[in-house]
Amino acid sequence: MTAFLPVTRRELLETGVEQPDFVYITGDAYVDHPSFGAAIITRILQSLGYSVAVIAQPNWHTTQDFMRFGCPRLAFLVTGGNIDSMVAHYTSAKRKRNSDLYSPGGKAGLRPDRAVITYCRKIREAYPDAAIAIGGLEASLRRFAHYDYWDDCVRPSILVDSGADLLMYGMGEHQITELAQQLAEGIPISGITGIRGTCYLTDPVNTPWGAVQCPDFAQVSRDRRAYAKATRQQYDQQDEISGKVVIQRHGDKMLVQNPPALSLTQEELDAVYRLPYTRCAHPMYDKQGGVPSIEEVQFSIAHNRGCFGYCNFCSIALHQGRRITCRSEESILEEAKKIIAMPNFKGYIHDVGGPTANFRLPSCKKQATHGMCPGKKCLAPEPCKALQVDHTEYLSILRKLRALPGVKRVFIRSGIRFDYVMADKDDTFFKELVSEHVSGQLKVAPEHVSNVVLDKMGKPHIECYEAFQKRFYEITKSIGKKQYLVPYLMSSHPGSTLAEAVKLSLFLRDHHMHPEQVQDFYPTPGTISTCMYYTELDPYTMEPVYVPKTPQEKAMQRALLQYYLPQNRQIVLSALRQAGRQDLIGTKPGCLVAPDAPAQRGGKSGKPHSSKGGASPRNTKKSTSKKSRRS
């Protein structure tokens, strides 16, 4: 049986090692599954012959936990976990969350705010001269000076605040392999400056030639136009073919970002998933109820990486990249057989997906030599004429998975790009998706209905979703099933006025949709949408963008998505009056809410009218598992 990596001093000594090569510190509980970055990086190092010890969710109030294994021979590796620690702790309304799915028993408070910074400072307190490299989503998206929603100000690069020596951004397999090799060769970490996919601080005199220079930290902190310009520069250089070195001055130091790491080849990606994961949480958490986040992915398969959908509110473009890389069919089937052999497998593969489930090809042929087009969307507002659309290989994999002995059903629960489905002239995949791979409800992400807002989101126009919805229900009816679409919708995104929010509520009314949970726009570090939120400018046009910022207006936009709830009635009334839509107040068919009490004496119920539509009549609820993808 595959063993976990050492988590105690005694376990380390039992492996015959007194001083580990690396000590890996994470803000998540220790889960040895390839859906968790900590598992991939530590298993890669192990496969290369390095000894690795893991400290998961250390007590940050003292240095004791950080000294559990002593100072590693090569370096401390630090990550906040699978998602940003501030997102893990706080809602978009900045209220403390009651739970943490990446902690044992779902208990909140087992990691600090700004975990990467806190952990690095504790390491420096214990071992002032230790080599420290940081990575993972929290470090990756905070590599430049960035607007921080929780402090409501621009913070410097996390390299400055943490005191770490090196930052690895992106997925990290190539970076950690090269870093380990150079450290093992005796090169001090301060001298390791040439690895793609890394950032470092240096004296300005050592700044490499030919770099793209962003406005410096002091400029972007006081000048919002400078911040918007920096955001565009940073995004435009995030391509492994065309991307240049990017620099940004921070006081007396220069932040240097090397070009992105090269994407893993299919053989390399297959090798990553062939590593000996236990595929479960460490048993030390069993008495606490285990780690909830493993439940969503334990019987799921990730077949691809990257997303050329490139939504403005999503972190994938800046972290994972827009280039699609895929595992081979053989690798996917091999993992499926491991899942089938698990004692608690019940016959259902929960997902075969990734950042976007139905991408298997590069978006176009020219990107292999020219890179991705900077500042352009492959699918929005309409599909690019050069877009390659083909579901053949993905469909073949799904069919072979369905045919495996012991498999009852194979579902697709991660994001399906409905616009990519609609761009496929062959609807064979669409038909089999509806007939074979939907577990009652299919979750898709139109996000809004106003094309004004959708343009700021970088999403296709609503007409595309409506065409998808129509065809979905036609296929569903033809096969005699009752299945429903559950659309993800977002309130208060930059560009959304109250008038646009009212349009969204009318869409919900007309389609019988009563979402139990709604998502406010969350300005997470590093995204284009967060730049719009902070600067009130579109970084690609420098034109003003309307941004709902006050708690009152955000509450109004959120309430309009749940206009039917009695507790929202007064705030919906206020929103409609402020938007000049008093025509939607009343008891006639088509109204959203009844007027105030004096007008209700005739005994009208005031229930909102529902006209016929194609969406689910059920109450729909958003999946919490999508939080990391959207953040």
Side-chain angles (χ1 to χ4, degrees), residues 587-625:
T587 57
K588 295 179 180 180
C591 290
L592 294 181
V593 290
D596 288 324
Q600 297 184 52
R601 291 175 182 172
K604 299 284 186 179
S605 67
K607 292 183 179 178
H609 170 73
S610 292
S611 61
K612 291 184 179 181
S616 169
R618 298 181 180 181
N619 285 347
T620 60
K621 183 164 64 176
K622 291 195 172 187
S623 167
T624 55
S625 68

Side-chain angles (χ1 to χ4, degrees), residues 327-627:
R327 297 167 62 188
S328 69
E329 181 180 286
E330 292 74 21
S331 172
I332 295 165
L333 293 173
E334 181 183 330
E335 182 175 6
K337 291 172 184 177
K338 291 178 182 177
I339 290 173
I340 293 167
M342 295 175 69
N344 52 343
F345 179 67
K346 304 297 183 184
Y348 300 95
I349 294 177
H350 293 166
D351 190 24
V352 183
T356 295
N358 52 322
F359 288 172
R360 287 284 297 178
L361 294 174
S363 57
C364 68
K365 294 179 179 179
K366 72 174 186 177
Q367 65 181 252
T369 53
H370 293 81
M372 305 293 290
C373 298
K376 294 184 178 180
K377 311 288 185 187
C378 300
L379 285 161
E382 295 179 347
C384 174
K385 292 180 180 179
L387 182 70
Q388 298 184 100
V389 185
D390 191 342
H391 288 91
T392 305
E393 187 177 45
Y394 186 41
L395 189 55
S396 172
I397 291 168
L398 292 171
R399 288 172 175 171
K400 289 181 180 180
L401 288 171
R402 297 200 312 256
L404 289 175
V407 173
K408 297 176 182 177
R409 293 289 302 277
V410 177
F411 298 121
I412 300 173
R413 290 178 176 168
S414 57
I416 284 282
R417 277 300 291 225
F418 62 84
D419 45 354
Y420 189 73
V421 173
M422 295 306 293
D424 194 342
K425 295 178 181 179
D426 181 353
D427 69 352
T428 304
F429 169 74
F430 202 166
K431 289 177 179 177
E432 286 198 29
L433 168 69
V434 176
S435 63
E436 300 290 344
H437 301 290
V438 177
S439 58
Q441 297 180 345
L442 178 65
K443 296 170 182 175
V444 288
E447 302 294 356
H448 212 280
V449 302
S450 165
N451 291 341
V452 172
V453 181
L454 290 167
D455 284 344
K456 295 307 176 189
M457 291 178 162
K459 297 287 290 185
H461 287 178
I462 192 60
E463 290 80 10
C464 181
Y465 174 73
E466 290 176 322
F468 176 84
Q469 176 181 268
K470 181 176 182 289
R471 185 64 181 136
F472 175 88
Y473 284 110
E474 287 174 350
I475 298 171
T476 296
K477 183 178 180 180
S478 72
I479 60 177
K481 287 188 175 184
K482 289 186 177 181
Q483 298 181 146
Y484 306 100
L485 286 178
V486 180
Y488 289 109
L489 299 167
M490 186 186 299
S491 65
S492 301
H493 188 277
S496 179
T497 63
L498 271 179
E500 310 306 327
V502 171
K503 286 183 184 178
L504 183 50
S505 67
L506 295 178
F507 180 88
L508 296 173
R509 177 201 67 185
D510 294 342
H511 291 80
H512 300 288
M513 293 161 62
H514 286 184
E516 292 179 357
Q517 295 180 352
V518 297
Q519 179 175 346
D520 276 353
F521 168 64
Y522 203 152
T524 53
T527 70
I528 293 172
S529 294
T530 296
C531 172
M532 292 185 201
Y533 176 88
Y534 171 60
T535 65
E536 300 181 26
L537 296 168
D538 183 325
Y540 279 89
T541 65
M542 299 306 283
E543 294 176 353
V545 178
Y546 178 81
V547 179
K549 285 189 175 181
T550 67
Q552 294 79 11
E553 183 174 0
K554 291 173 74 175
M556 285 181 182
Q557 294 210 21
R558 183 172 60 250
L560 282 166
L561 270 68
Q562 297 177 308
Y563 63 88
Y564 47 85
L565 294 178
Q567 62 267 33
N568 284 345
R569 184 170 162 276
Q570 287 301 320
I571 193 168
V572 171
L573 284 169
S574 297
L576 292 175
R577 288 170 183 147
Q578 189 168 321
R581 294 304 305 268
Q582 288 89 338
D583 58 304
L584 297 173
I585 301 171
T587 57
K588 295 179 180 180
C591 290
L592 294 181
V593 290
D596 288 324
Q600 297 184 52
R601 291 175 182 172
K604 299 284 186 179
S605 67
K607 292 183 179 178
H609 170 73
S610 292
S611 61
K612 291 184 179 181
S616 169
R618 298 181 180 181
N619 285 347
T620 60
K621 183 164 64 176
K622 291 195 172 187
S623 167
T624 55
S625 68
K626 287 301 196 186
K627 192 67 182 177

Side-chain angles (χ1 to χ4, degrees), residues 114 116-117 134 138-140 142-146 155-164 167 250:
R114 312 190 191 285
V116 170
I117 294 171
I134 58 178
E138 183 167 329
S140 185
R142 295 173 179 270
R143 59 188 183 265
F144 295 105
H146 56 280
R155 293 180 66 103
S157 166
I158 197 170
L159 265 175
V160 174
D161 276 343
S162 67
L167 184 154
H250 284 63

Side-chain angles (χ1 to χ4, degrees), residues 144 207-215 229-230 232-234 236-237 242-249 254-257:
F144 295 105
T207 303
W209 289 97
V212 173
Q213 183 160 7
C214 296
K229 177 183 177 182
R232 175 169 182 168
Q233 290 175 308
Q234 292 154 15
D236 284 353
Q237 302 305 324
S242 61
K244 298 179 181 178
V245 173
V246 181
I247 59 176
Q248 185 178 51
R249 187 157 184 152
M254 188 68 79
L255 172 72
V256 180
Q257 178 197 264

